[in-house]
Amino acid sequence: MAIRPKKRKFTVYLDPEVEMALADFAARRDRSQSMIAEAAIASFLSPDDAERREAVVAKRLDQMDRRLARVERDVGISVETMAVFIRFWLATTPALPEPAAKAARAKVGERYEAFITALGRRLAQGPKLRQEVSEDVQEAD
């Protein structure tokens, strides 16, 4: 068994904020400040440090890319849903005669509030439409 050389004292100057952060981190981890400083310096000087950082950044970018793809998909579903609804509504709703149109305008606030309430309930309870729409649906072209 090889005998490791005895550790030597090394003095460094730290900004007060860095010193406080080191002390807080050491206290939270129940480790010595010396051990944490040594590990940090060794990590900083490690030749594979750049590769590790790059791997962490690449992993994070991949996660963000997947999330962005889901957001893009959800927005696409929302836009298509709205377009289909508007087309259906315009195709099936005849224009009202003037006396009935006045009555409908009087009722519009109440109906809108009911719509917003139902939408809020749907969003709070789920399942969401985007969860109901399968990504596996084949295009019917």
Side-chain angles (χ1 to χ4, degrees), residues 24-44:
D24 290 344
F25 188 82
R28 279 195 316 270
R29 301 293 175 142
D30 196 27
R31 302 278 189 238
S32 71
Q33 291 182 27
S34 177
M35 187 204 76
I36 292 171
E38 181 180 357
I41 293 168
S43 175
F44 185 79

Side-chain angles (χ1 to χ4, degrees), residues 2-24:
I3 298 175
R4 292 179 56 175
K6 184 177 177 183
K7 290 185 179 184
R8 296 176 23 187
K9 182 177 179 177
F10 183 74
T11 304
V12 296
Y13 295 98
L14 299 175
D15 284 329
E17 297 86 26
V18 175
E19 181 184 10
M20 286 176 37
L22 176 62
D24 290 344

Side-chain angles (χ1 to χ4, degrees), residues 3 21 35 37 43 45 68-69 76 93 107 110 112 137:
I3 298 175
M35 187 204 76
S43 175
L45 297 176
L68 188 58
T93 305
K107 204 78 163 131
E110 181 183 324
Y112 182 73
V137 174

Side-chain angles (χ1 to χ4, degrees), residues 1-135:
M1 180 167 149
I3 298 175
R4 292 179 56 175
K6 184 177 177 183
K7 290 185 179 184
R8 296 176 23 187
K9 182 177 179 177
F10 183 74
T11 304
V12 296
Y13 295 98
L14 299 175
D15 284 329
E17 297 86 26
V18 175
E19 181 184 10
M20 286 176 37
L22 176 62
D24 290 344
F25 188 82
R28 279 195 316 270
R29 301 293 175 142
D30 196 27
R31 302 278 189 238
S32 71
Q33 291 182 27
S34 177
M35 187 204 76
I36 292 171
E38 181 180 357
I41 293 168
S43 175
F44 185 79
L45 297 176
S46 171
D48 65 334
D49 181 56
E51 289 86 20
R52 279 189 283 135
R53 286 186 194 177
E54 185 177 335
V56 168
V57 169
K59 180 179 176 183
R60 185 73 174 142
L61 285 173
D62 287 343
Q63 290 172 345
M64 291 171 65
D65 184 51
R66 284 191 301 276
R67 288 180 183 152
L68 188 58
R70 281 194 301 267
V71 168
E72 185 177 344
R73 174 185 170 265
D74 294 349
V75 168
I77 289 171
S78 299
V79 168
E80 286 298 316
T81 301
M82 185 64 81
V84 168
F85 172 77
I86 290 170
R87 179 176 282 164
F88 176 79
W89 185 81
L90 290 173
T92 60
T93 305
L96 296 174
E98 191 53 37
K102 286 182 182 177
R105 279 190 219 97
K107 204 78 163 131
V108 73
E110 181 183 324
R111 294 177 71 193
Y112 182 73
E113 286 299 320
F115 168 73
I116 293 299
T117 302
L119 179 63
R121 213 175 22 251
R122 171 81 178 194
L123 290 175
Q125 295 173 356
K128 311 289 187 272
L129 176 65
R130 65 181 169 81
Q131 293 167 332
E132 294 175 3
V133 176
S134 173
E135 291 182 359

